[in-house]
Amino acid sequence: MCERNDPAAVAEGLRRRLAEARRALADGAAEEAGACYAAVLAEVEEYEGCEGCAEHGEGEERAERGEHAEHGGHRLTAERAAALLGLGESALESGELTDALGYFERAGDLLADGPAPARAPVLRGRAVAHYLTGELRYAVHLLESGLAELARAEPQDPDALVLLHATAIGPYMDMGAHHHAARAAESALALAPRVSDPALVARAHRSVARTLLAQGRHAEADASLATAAELYDRLGLRTELAHCHWMRGYVRAQAGQLAGAEEELRQALLMLGETRAALYRSQVAVELADVLHRRGSSGDAAELLAGVLGDFSSERGAVHAAAAHRLLGIIAEDAHDTEAAEEHYVRALSLLERAGAAGDLADLCRLLGDLLRRGGRTEAALDAYRTGLGHRTAPGSTTLGPAQL
C-alpha cells in the first residue's frame, strides 16, 4: 500500500511539476513536456487510488481489480485536469490529433461542473484539434458555444474570452466568414487591456493580423505581428514565436512581398523543426513551397511538397493537404501535364468540400474550370464553376497566395 502524504504538500508538488512541464512546452520540447504531464497524471492516479484504498481498508484487493481511483480520499481534480490539458496540448504540437482530442475530452469531463472560464482552455484545445483535422464548422460551433456560455457568466473573465475569440479567427477566415472574423478580432482587441496573461495578448495580436490583411490593411497587420513577436521574444516563448514568424510570412506572401515571406517562412520552418512540431512544420512547408513557386523555383517547390505530402490526410491538416495538391496541379499545368493537374485539383476539391474552406474552394474551382475549358470540356468546366459559385476569395481567406491569371 502506498504511503499517505499530506494532501496540500502533494498538490503543491504537483503544481510545481505542472509549471515545469508548461515551460518545456513553451520552449518547444513537446515530447519532454508530454512525458512530464504523463508522470504527473500517473502520480495523481496513484495517490488518489491509495487514498481511496486506505479509506476503505481494501488496498490490495481493489488494486488487483484496478479500482483505486473510484473511491474516496483527497481528490486532485484540478491537477488531473491540468495534466490532461497539457497532454492534449503536447499532442497537438506533435500533430497527434486523435490523442489530443482524447486528452481534451477527458479533461472536459473532469471540469464539466466547474465554471465556464476554467473550461475555456480545454474548449480551445478541442476546437484547434478539429480545425486541424479540417472540421472547420464544428470547430466554430465549439467556440461559439463556449463564448455564449462565457458571456452569461458573472463576473466575466477577459482572459477566457480573448482566448476563444482569438482562436475563432482562423476558422472563420477559412470558411469565408470575414464579418464574423472581424467581429472576433475587435472583441479580442477591446478586451486585451484587461487580460492578465501577456502571452494571451500576443496571441490576440497574432490572430488579428489575418483580419487586418483581409481588409487590405497590410501595414497594420505587420505591425500587429511585430507587437506579438516582441512579446513572445520577451517571454521566451519559442514555439509561439515560431508561429508568429509563420503568420508574418503568410501576411507578406498574401501581400506579394515574396522575398520577405520566404525569409519569415524559412525561419518558422527552422524553429518548428527544432521543436519537432511535425504537422505545423509541414503546413509551413506548403506555404513556403507556394512562395518558391511564385519566385520561379518550381522544382524546389515540388521537391518540398513531395517531402511533406505524406504527413497530411483528410483527417490531418486537410486544408493544407488540399493546398499542396492545388500547388502541384499548378506546377503540372505549367509543365503542360493536364492529366496530372486535373488529378491534383480534383483531390484538392474533395478535401476542401469536406472542410468547408470557402476561399480555397472558390479559388480551386476557378483553376479547375479554366483547365477543363482550355481542354474543350465545356460542360465539365461549367460544373466546376458552379461548384465555386457563392464562394469568393479575398486576401487572408486562402491558404496560399492567389494563382496567376
Side-chain angles (χ1 to χ4, degrees), residues 52-330:
C53 292
E55 186 169 292
H56 287 77
E58 308 177 315
E60 294 179 2
E61 294 84 353
R62 292 194 182 277
E64 291 174 356
R65 296 202 298 271
E67 299 177 2
H68 273 85
E70 299 299 321
H71 300 284
H74 184 73
R75 312 308 292 177
L76 297 166
T77 303
E79 291 76 17
R80 181 194 289 265
L84 288 166
L85 174 63
L87 281 166
E89 291 174 340
S90 300
L92 267 187
E93 193 67 25
S94 301
E96 303 299 332
L97 304 182
T98 301
D99 290 345
L101 278 171
Y103 289 128
F104 290 135
E105 287 167 5
R106 288 171 63 188
D109 290 343
L110 282 173
L111 300 173
D113 297 326
R119 296 197 302 275
V122 174
L123 192 61
R124 178 258 173 195
R126 290 179 61 200
V128 171
H130 284 290
Y131 177 41
L132 290 173
T133 65
E135 297 174 317
L136 276 61
R137 295 183 187 89
Y138 189 63
V140 165
H141 165 71
L142 288 174
L143 293 165
E144 289 181 343
S145 299
L147 285 165
E149 190 174 5
L150 285 170
R152 295 190 297 268
E154 291 294 342
Q156 293 200 342
D157 188 308
D159 286 50
L161 285 165
V162 168
L163 178 66
L164 298 193
H165 278 304
T167 304
I169 291 171
Y172 276 141
M173 290 300 296
D174 283 350
M175 290 173 62
H178 303 156
H179 174 70
H180 291 290
R183 190 169 59 190
E186 290 169 5
S187 297
L189 288 181
L191 289 164
R194 297 165 51 196
V195 169
S196 60
D197 181 2
L200 190 51
V201 174
R203 178 178 291 174
H205 280 288
R206 190 181 83 203
S207 301
V208 163
R210 193 167 175 187
T211 66
L212 295 171
L213 174 66
Q215 296 164 11
R217 297 156 66 184
H218 298 151
E220 291 174 68
D222 204 53
S224 188
L225 288 168
T227 299
E230 182 182 350
L231 284 167
Y232 287 140
D233 192 43
R234 189 187 312 158
L235 295 167
L237 300 178
R238 187 164 179 77
T239 297
E240 297 293 351
L241 185 58
H243 282 260
C244 204
H245 281 292
W246 178 4
M247 182 56 77
R248 292 189 86 170
Y250 175 84
V251 167
R252 291 178 180 178
Q254 293 275 328
Q257 300 167 5
L258 300 183
E262 180 178 348
E263 181 181 348
E264 294 288 350
L265 291 171
R266 285 194 183 279
Q267 181 63 30
L269 197 66
L270 176 64
M271 295 175 73
L272 290 169
E274 292 171 352
T275 63
R276 295 191 293 278
L279 179 56
Y280 289 133
R281 188 179 185 280
S282 297
Q283 289 176 310
V284 174
V286 173
E287 296 183 31
L288 176 58
D290 176 58
V291 171
L292 292 175
H293 167 70
R294 291 163 66 190
R295 298 196 76 188
S297 299
S298 296
D300 292 340
E303 184 178 347
L304 192 56
L305 291 172
V308 300
L309 195 56
D311 296 339
F312 300 115
S313 71
S314 59
E315 289 81 32
R316 191 172 188 268
V319 174
H320 275 79
H325 282 295
R326 168 196 177 276
L327 181 52
L328 285 168
I330 292 172

